[in-house]
Coordinates of all heavy atoms in Angstrom, one line a residue:
M1 N -14.4 35.5 -37.7 CA -13.8 34.6 -36.8 C -14.8 33.4 -36.6 O -16.0 33.5 -36.2 CB -13.6 35.2 -35.4 CG -13.1 34.4 -34.3 SD -13.1 35.0 -32.7 CE -11.5 35.9 -32.6
A2 N -14.3 32.3 -36.9 CA -15.2 31.0 -36.8 C -14.9 30.3 -35.6 O -13.8 30.2 -35.1 CB -14.9 30.2 -38.0
Q3 N -16.0 29.9 -34.9 CA -15.8 29.3 -33.7 C -16.6 27.9 -33.9 O -17.6 27.8 -34.5 CB -16.5 30.0 -32.5 CG -15.9 31.3 -32.1 CD -16.4 31.9 -30.9 OE1 -17.5 31.6 -30.6 NE2 -15.7 32.9 -30.4
T4 N -16.0 26.9 -33.3 CA -16.5 25.6 -33.3 C -17.1 25.2 -31.8 O -16.3 25.5 -30.9 CB -15.7 24.4 -33.9 OG1 -14.5 24.4 -33.1 CG2 -15.2 24.7 -35.2
V5 N -18.2 24.5 -31.8 CA -18.7 24.1 -30.5 C -18.7 22.6 -30.5 O -19.2 21.9 -31.5 CB -20.2 24.7 -30.3 CG1 -20.7 24.1 -29.0 CG2 -20.0 26.1 -30.3
A6 N -18.1 22.1 -29.4 CA -18.0 20.6 -29.3 C -19.4 20.2 -29.1 O -20.2 20.7 -28.2 CB -17.1 20.2 -28.3
Q7 N -19.9 19.2 -29.8 CA -21.2 18.6 -29.6 C -21.2 17.5 -28.5 O -20.2 16.7 -28.6 CB -21.8 18.0 -30.9 CG -22.0 19.0 -32.0 CD -23.0 20.0 -31.7 OE1 -24.1 19.7 -31.1 NE2 -22.8 21.2 -32.0
P8 N -22.1 17.5 -27.6 CA -22.0 16.4 -26.6 C -22.3 15.1 -27.2 O -23.1 14.9 -28.1 CB -23.1 16.9 -25.6 CG -23.9 17.8 -26.3 CD -23.1 18.3 -27.3
T9 N -21.6 14.0 -26.8 CA -21.9 12.6 -27.4 C -22.7 11.9 -26.3 O -22.5 12.1 -25.1 CB -20.6 12.0 -27.7 OG1 -19.8 12.0 -26.5 CG2 -19.7 12.8 -28.8
A10 N -23.1 10.8 -26.8 CA -23.9 10.1 -25.9 C -23.2 8.8 -25.3 O -23.8 7.8 -25.1 CB -25.2 9.5 -26.6
T11 N -21.9 8.9 -25.2 CA -21.1 7.8 -24.8 C -21.0 7.8 -23.2 O -21.1 8.9 -22.6 CB -19.6 7.9 -25.3 OG1 -19.1 9.1 -24.9 CG2 -19.7 7.8 -26.8
S12 N -20.8 6.6 -22.6 CA -20.7 6.6 -21.2 C -19.4 7.1 -20.7 O -18.4 6.9 -21.5 CB -21.0 5.2 -20.7 OG -20.1 4.4 -21.2
P13 N -19.3 7.6 -19.6 CA -17.9 8.0 -19.1 C -17.0 6.7 -18.9 O -17.5 5.7 -18.7 CB -18.2 8.7 -17.7 CG -19.4 8.3 -17.3 CD -20.3 7.9 -18.6
V14 N -15.7 6.9 -19.1 CA -14.8 5.9 -19.0 C -14.4 5.6 -17.5 O -14.0 6.4 -16.8 CB -13.4 6.2 -19.7 CG1 -12.4 5.1 -19.6 CG2 -13.8 6.4 -21.2
L15 N -14.8 4.3 -17.0 CA -14.6 4.1 -15.7 C -13.3 3.3 -15.6 O -13.0 2.4 -16.6 CB -15.7 3.2 -15.2 CG -17.1 3.9 -15.2 CD1 -18.1 2.8 -14.8 CD2 -17.0 5.1 -14.2
P16 N -12.5 3.4 -14.5 CA -11.3 2.6 -14.4 C -11.8 1.1 -14.1 O -12.7 0.8 -13.6 CB -10.5 3.1 -13.3 CG -11.7 3.9 -12.4 CD -12.8 4.3 -13.4
A17 N -10.8 0.3 -14.6 CA -11.0 -1.1 -14.5 C -11.0 -1.5 -13.0 O -10.2 -1.0 -12.2 CB -10.0 -2.0 -15.2
A18 N -11.9 -2.4 -12.6 CA -11.9 -2.8 -11.1 C -10.7 -3.7 -10.9 O -10.2 -4.5 -11.7 CB -13.1 -3.6 -10.9
L19 N -10.1 -3.5 -9.7 CA -9.0 -4.3 -9.3 C -9.4 -5.7 -8.8 O -10.4 -5.7 -8.0 CB -8.2 -3.6 -8.1 CG -7.4 -2.4 -8.6 CD1 -6.7 -1.8 -7.3 CD2 -6.2 -2.8 -9.5
P20 N -8.8 -6.8 -9.3 CA -9.3 -8.1 -8.8 C -8.9 -8.3 -7.3 O -7.8 -7.8 -6.9 CB -8.5 -9.0 -9.7 CG -7.4 -8.3 -10.4 CD -7.8 -6.8 -10.3
L21 N -9.7 -8.9 -6.7 CA -9.5 -9.2 -5.2 C -8.1 -10.1 -5.1 O -7.4 -9.8 -4.1 CB -10.6 -10.0 -4.6 CG -10.5 -10.2 -3.1 CD1 -10.4 -8.9 -2.3 CD2 -11.7 -11.0 -2.7
K22 N -7.9 -10.8 -6.0 CA -6.6 -11.7 -5.8 C -5.3 -10.9 -6.0 O -4.4 -11.2 -5.4 CB -6.5 -12.7 -7.0 CG -7.5 -13.8 -6.7 CD -7.3 -15.0 -7.8 CE -8.2 -16.1 -7.4 NZ -8.0 -17.3 -8.3
A23 N -5.4 -9.6 -6.7 CA -4.3 -8.8 -6.7 C -4.1 -7.9 -5.5 O -3.0 -7.5 -5.1 CB -4.4 -7.8 -7.9
I24 N -5.2 -7.6 -4.7 CA -5.2 -6.8 -3.5 C -4.9 -7.7 -2.3 O -4.3 -7.0 -1.3 CB -6.6 -6.1 -3.5 CG1 -6.7 -5.1 -4.6 CG2 -6.6 -5.3 -2.1 CD1 -8.1 -4.6 -4.6
A25 N -5.3 -9.0 -2.2 CA -5.4 -9.6 -1.0 C -4.0 -9.8 -0.4 O -3.8 -9.6 0.8 CB -6.0 -11.0 -1.3
P26 N -2.9 -10.1 -1.1 CA -1.5 -10.2 -0.4 C -1.1 -8.9 0.2 O -0.5 -8.9 1.2 CB -0.5 -10.6 -1.6 CG -1.6 -11.1 -2.6 CD -2.9 -10.6 -2.5
W27 N -1.3 -7.8 -0.6 CA -1.0 -6.5 -0.1 C -1.8 -6.1 1.3 O -1.3 -5.6 2.1 CB -1.1 -5.4 -1.0 CG 0.0 -5.5 -2.1 CD1 -0.2 -6.2 -3.4 CD2 1.4 -5.4 -2.0 NE1 1.0 -6.2 -4.1 CE2 1.9 -5.7 -3.3 CE3 2.2 -4.7 -1.1 CZ2 3.3 -5.4 -3.5 CZ3 3.5 -4.6 -1.3 CH2 4.1 -4.9 -2.5
A28 N -3.1 -6.4 1.2 CA -3.9 -6.1 2.4 C -3.4 -7.0 3.5 O -3.4 -6.4 4.7 CB -5.4 -6.4 1.9
A29 N -3.1 -8.3 3.3 CA -2.6 -9.1 4.5 C -1.2 -8.6 5.0 O -1.0 -8.5 6.2 CB -2.5 -10.5 4.0
F30 N -0.4 -8.2 4.0 CA 0.9 -7.7 4.5 C 0.7 -6.3 5.3 O 1.3 -6.2 6.3 CB 1.7 -7.4 3.3 CG 3.1 -6.7 3.5 CD1 4.1 -7.4 4.1 CD2 3.3 -5.4 3.2 CE1 5.3 -6.6 4.4 CE2 4.4 -4.7 3.4 CZ 5.5 -5.3 4.1
F31 N 0.0 -5.4 4.8 CA -0.2 -4.2 5.5 C -1.0 -4.3 6.8 O -0.8 -3.8 7.8 CB -0.7 -3.1 4.7 CG 0.3 -2.5 3.7 CD1 0.2 -2.8 2.5 CD2 1.3 -1.7 4.3 CE1 1.1 -2.3 1.6 CE2 2.3 -1.2 3.3 CZ 2.2 -1.4 2.0
G32 N -1.9 -5.3 6.8 CA -2.7 -5.6 8.1 C -1.7 -6.2 9.1 O -1.8 -5.7 10.3
I33 N -0.8 -7.1 8.8 CA 0.1 -7.7 9.7 C 1.0 -6.6 10.2 O 1.3 -6.4 11.5 CB 0.8 -8.9 9.2 CG1 -0.2 -10.0 8.9 CG2 2.0 -9.3 10.0 CD1 0.4 -11.2 8.2
L34 N 1.5 -5.7 9.3 CA 2.4 -4.7 9.6 C 1.8 -3.6 10.6 O 2.5 -3.2 11.6 CB 2.9 -3.9 8.3 CG 4.0 -2.9 8.5 CD1 5.2 -3.8 8.7 CD2 4.1 -2.2 7.2
M35 N 0.5 -3.4 10.4 CA -0.2 -2.5 11.3 C -0.5 -3.1 12.7 O -0.4 -2.5 13.7 CB -1.5 -2.1 10.8 CG -1.4 -1.1 9.5 SD -0.6 0.4 10.0 CE 0.8 0.1 9.0
L36 N -0.7 -4.5 12.7 CA -0.8 -5.1 13.9 C 0.5 -5.1 14.8 O 0.6 -4.9 16.1 CB -1.4 -6.6 13.7 CG -2.8 -6.7 13.4 CD1 -3.1 -8.2 13.1 CD2 -3.7 -6.2 14.5
V37 N 1.6 -5.3 14.1 CA 2.9 -5.3 14.7 C 3.1 -3.9 15.3 O 3.6 -3.6 16.4 CB 4.1 -5.8 13.7 CG1 5.4 -5.4 14.3 CG2 3.9 -7.2 13.5
L38 N 2.8 -2.9 14.5 CA 3.0 -1.5 14.9 C 2.1 -1.1 16.1 O 2.6 -0.5 17.1 CB 2.7 -0.5 13.8 CG 2.9 0.9 14.0 CD1 4.5 1.2 14.2 CD2 2.5 1.8 12.9
L39 N 0.9 -1.6 16.0 CA -0.1 -1.5 17.1 C 0.4 -2.1 18.4 O 0.4 -1.6 19.5 CB -1.4 -1.9 16.8 CG -2.5 -1.7 17.9 CD1 -2.8 -0.1 18.1 CD2 -3.8 -2.4 17.5
Y40 N 1.1 -3.2 18.3 CA 1.7 -4.0 19.4 C 2.8 -3.2 19.9 O 2.8 -2.9 21.3 CB 2.2 -5.4 19.0 CG 3.1 -5.8 20.1 CD1 2.5 -6.5 21.3 CD2 4.5 -5.8 20.0 CE1 3.3 -6.8 22.5 CE2 5.2 -6.2 21.1 CZ 4.6 -6.7 22.3 OH 5.5 -7.2 23.3
F41 N 3.6 -2.6 19.2 CA 4.8 -2.0 19.7 C 4.4 -0.5 20.3 O 5.0 -0.2 21.3 CB 5.9 -1.8 18.6 CG 6.7 -2.9 18.4 CD1 6.8 -3.6 17.3 CD2 7.6 -3.3 19.4 CE1 7.6 -4.8 17.1 CE2 8.6 -4.4 19.3 CZ 8.5 -5.2 18.2
V42 N 3.4 0.0 19.8 CA 3.0 1.3 20.3 C 2.2 1.0 21.7 O 2.4 1.7 22.7 CB 2.2 2.0 19.3 CG1 1.4 3.3 20.0 CG2 3.1 2.5 18.2
G43 N 1.3 0.1 21.6 CA 0.3 -0.2 22.7 C 0.6 -1.1 23.8 O 0.2 -0.9 24.9
A44 N 1.6 -2.1 23.5 CA 1.6 -3.1 24.5 C 3.2 -3.4 24.9 O 3.5 -4.3 25.7 CB 1.0 -4.4 24.2
E45 N 4.0 -2.8 24.2 CA 5.6 -3.2 24.3 C 6.1 -2.6 25.7 O 6.6 -1.4 25.6 CB 6.4 -2.7 23.2 CG 7.8 -2.9 23.3 CD 8.4 -4.4 23.4 OE1 7.5 -5.2 23.0 OE2 9.4 -4.5 23.8
Q46 N 5.7 -3.0 26.9 CA 6.2 -2.5 28.0 C 6.0 -3.5 29.1 O 4.9 -4.3 29.2 CB 5.3 -1.3 28.4 CG 5.8 -0.5 29.7 CD 4.9 0.6 30.0 OE1 3.8 0.7 29.5 NE2 5.4 1.5 30.8
G47 N 7.0 -3.6 30.1 CA 6.7 -4.5 31.1 C 6.6 -5.9 31.0 O 7.4 -6.5 30.2
A48 N 5.6 -6.6 31.4 CA 5.4 -8.0 31.3 C 5.1 -8.4 29.9 O 5.5 -9.6 29.5 CB 4.2 -8.4 32.1
T49 N 4.6 -7.6 29.0 CA 4.3 -7.9 27.7 C 5.4 -7.6 26.7 O 5.3 -7.7 25.5 CB 3.0 -7.4 27.2 OG1 3.2 -5.9 27.3 CG2 1.8 -7.7 28.1
A50 N 6.6 -7.1 27.3 CA 7.7 -6.8 26.4 C 8.4 -7.9 25.7 O 8.7 -8.8 26.3 CB 8.6 -5.9 27.2
V51 N 8.6 -7.7 24.3 CA 9.4 -8.7 23.7 C 10.9 -8.4 23.7 O 11.7 -9.2 23.9 CB 8.8 -8.8 22.3 CG1 9.8 -9.8 21.4 CG2 7.5 -9.5 22.2
V52 N 11.1 -7.1 23.5 CA 12.5 -6.6 23.5 C 12.8 -6.1 25.0 O 12.0 -5.3 25.5 CB 12.6 -5.4 22.5 CG1 14.0 -5.0 22.6 CG2 12.2 -5.9 21.1
S53 N 13.8 -6.6 25.5 CA 14.3 -6.1 26.9 C 14.8 -4.7 26.9 O 15.3 -4.3 25.8 CB 15.3 -7.1 27.5 OG 16.5 -7.0 26.7
G54 N 14.6 -4.0 28.0 CA 15.0 -2.7 28.0 C 13.8 -1.7 27.7 O 12.7 -2.2 27.5
E55 N 14.2 -0.4 27.7 CA 13.2 0.6 27.4 C 13.4 1.2 26.2 O 12.7 2.2 25.8 CB 13.3 1.7 28.5 CG 12.8 1.1 30.0 CD 11.4 0.9 30.1 OE1 10.6 1.7 29.5 OE2 11.0 -0.1 30.7
G56 N 14.2 0.8 25.3 CA 14.6 1.3 24.0 C 13.2 1.5 23.1 O 13.0 2.6 22.7
V57 N 12.5 0.5 22.9 CA 11.3 0.5 22.0 C 10.4 1.4 22.6 O 9.7 2.2 21.9 CB 10.9 -1.0 21.8 CG1 9.6 -0.9 20.9 CG2 11.9 -1.7 21.0
H58 N 10.2 1.3 24.0 CA 9.1 2.0 24.5 C 9.4 3.6 24.5 O 8.5 4.4 24.2 CB 9.1 1.6 26.1 CG 8.1 2.4 26.8 ND1 6.7 2.3 26.7 CD2 8.2 3.5 27.6 CE1 6.0 3.1 27.5 NE2 6.9 3.8 28.1
E59 N 10.6 3.9 24.7 CA 11.0 5.3 24.4 C 10.8 5.9 23.0 O 10.4 7.0 22.8 CB 12.4 5.5 25.0 CG 12.7 5.3 26.4 CD 11.7 6.2 27.3 OE1 11.5 7.3 26.9 OE2 11.3 5.7 28.3
W60 N 11.0 5.0 22.0 CA 10.7 5.4 20.7 C 9.3 5.6 20.3 O 9.0 6.6 19.6 CB 11.3 4.3 19.8 CG 12.8 4.5 19.4 CD1 13.9 3.9 20.0 CD2 13.4 5.4 18.3 NE1 15.0 4.2 19.5 CE2 14.7 5.1 18.4 CE3 12.8 6.2 17.3 CZ2 15.6 5.8 17.5 CZ3 13.6 6.8 16.5 CH2 15.0 6.6 16.5
V61 N 8.5 4.8 20.9 CA 7.0 5.1 20.6 C 6.2 5.6 21.7 O 5.1 5.7 21.7 CB 6.4 3.7 20.2 CG1 7.0 3.0 19.1 CG2 6.6 2.7 21.5
H62 N 6.9 6.3 22.6 CA 6.3 6.8 23.8 C 5.3 8.0 23.5 O 4.2 7.9 24.0 CB 7.4 7.4 24.8 CG 6.8 7.6 26.2 ND1 6.9 8.9 26.7 CD2 6.1 6.9 27.1 CE1 6.3 9.0 27.8 NE2 5.9 7.7 28.1
D63 N 5.6 8.9 22.7 CA 4.8 9.9 22.3 C 3.5 9.5 21.6 O 2.4 9.9 21.8 CB 5.5 11.0 21.5 CG 6.6 11.8 22.4 OD1 6.4 11.7 23.7 OD2 7.4 12.4 21.9
A64 N 3.7 8.5 20.7 CA 2.5 7.8 20.0 C 1.7 7.2 21.0 O 0.5 7.2 20.8 CB 3.0 7.0 18.9
R65 N 2.3 6.5 21.9 CA 1.4 5.8 22.9 C 0.4 6.8 23.6 O -0.7 6.5 23.8 CB 2.5 5.2 23.8 CG 1.8 4.3 24.8 CD 2.9 3.7 25.9 NE 2.5 2.8 26.6 CZ 2.6 1.4 26.4 NH1 3.5 1.2 25.5 NH2 2.2 0.5 27.2
H66 N 1.1 7.9 24.0 CA 0.2 8.9 24.6 C -0.8 9.6 23.8 O -1.9 9.7 24.2 CB 1.1 10.0 25.4 CG 1.6 9.6 26.7 ND1 1.0 9.5 27.8 CD2 2.9 9.0 26.9 CE1 1.7 9.0 28.8 NE2 3.0 8.6 28.3
L67 N -0.4 9.8 22.5 CA -1.3 10.3 21.6 C -2.5 9.5 21.3 O -3.6 10.0 21.2 CB -0.5 10.7 20.2 CG -1.3 11.3 19.2 CD1 -1.6 12.8 19.5 CD2 -0.5 11.3 17.8
L68 N -2.3 8.2 21.3 CA -3.4 7.2 21.0 C -4.2 6.8 22.1 O -5.1 6.1 22.1 CB -2.8 6.0 20.2 CG -2.2 6.2 18.9 CD1 -1.6 5.0 18.3 CD2 -3.3 6.8 18.0
G69 N -3.7 7.4 23.3 CA -4.5 7.1 24.6 C -4.2 5.7 25.4 O -5.0 5.3 26.1
F70 N -3.1 5.1 25.0 CA -2.8 3.9 25.7 C -2.2 4.2 27.0 O -1.5 5.2 27.1 CB -1.7 3.0 24.9 CG -2.3 2.4 23.7 CD1 -2.1 3.0 22.4 CD2 -3.0 1.2 23.7 CE1 -2.6 2.3 21.3 CE2 -3.5 0.5 22.7 CZ -3.3 1.1 21.4
P71 N -2.5 3.4 28.0 CA -2.0 3.6 29.4 C -0.4 3.5 29.3 O 0.1 2.6 28.8 CB -2.7 2.7 30.3 CG -3.2 1.6 29.3 CD -3.4 2.3 28.0
C72 N 0.2 4.3 30.2 CA 1.6 4.2 30.2 C 2.3 4.3 31.5 O 2.5 3.2 32.2 CB 2.2 5.3 29.3 SG 3.9 5.2 29.2
H73 N 2.2 5.4 32.1 CA 2.9 5.5 33.5 C 2.0 6.5 34.3 O 1.2 7.0 33.9 CB 4.4 6.0 33.4 CG 4.5 7.3 32.5 ND1 4.3 8.5 32.9 CD2 4.8 7.3 31.2 CE1 4.5 9.3 32.0 NE2 4.8 8.6 30.9
Ligands
ZN1 ZN1 4.2 7.7 29.1

């Protein structure tokens, strides 16, 4: 029974190509704005700071509001 043993080579490991900043920047801005809007609706959409009248949005995010420690009622 013949067995072959792989010989280690002296090559460097293959690294993934770095992503250019110009490709990431629009997506980072988009998700940053999206997260700010979400943070507003969870943290401040109530009473005097409410953009949407009524309690609909507040009730939708009410549990998240308490989970994140924002003051509520
Ligand atoms: Zn509450």
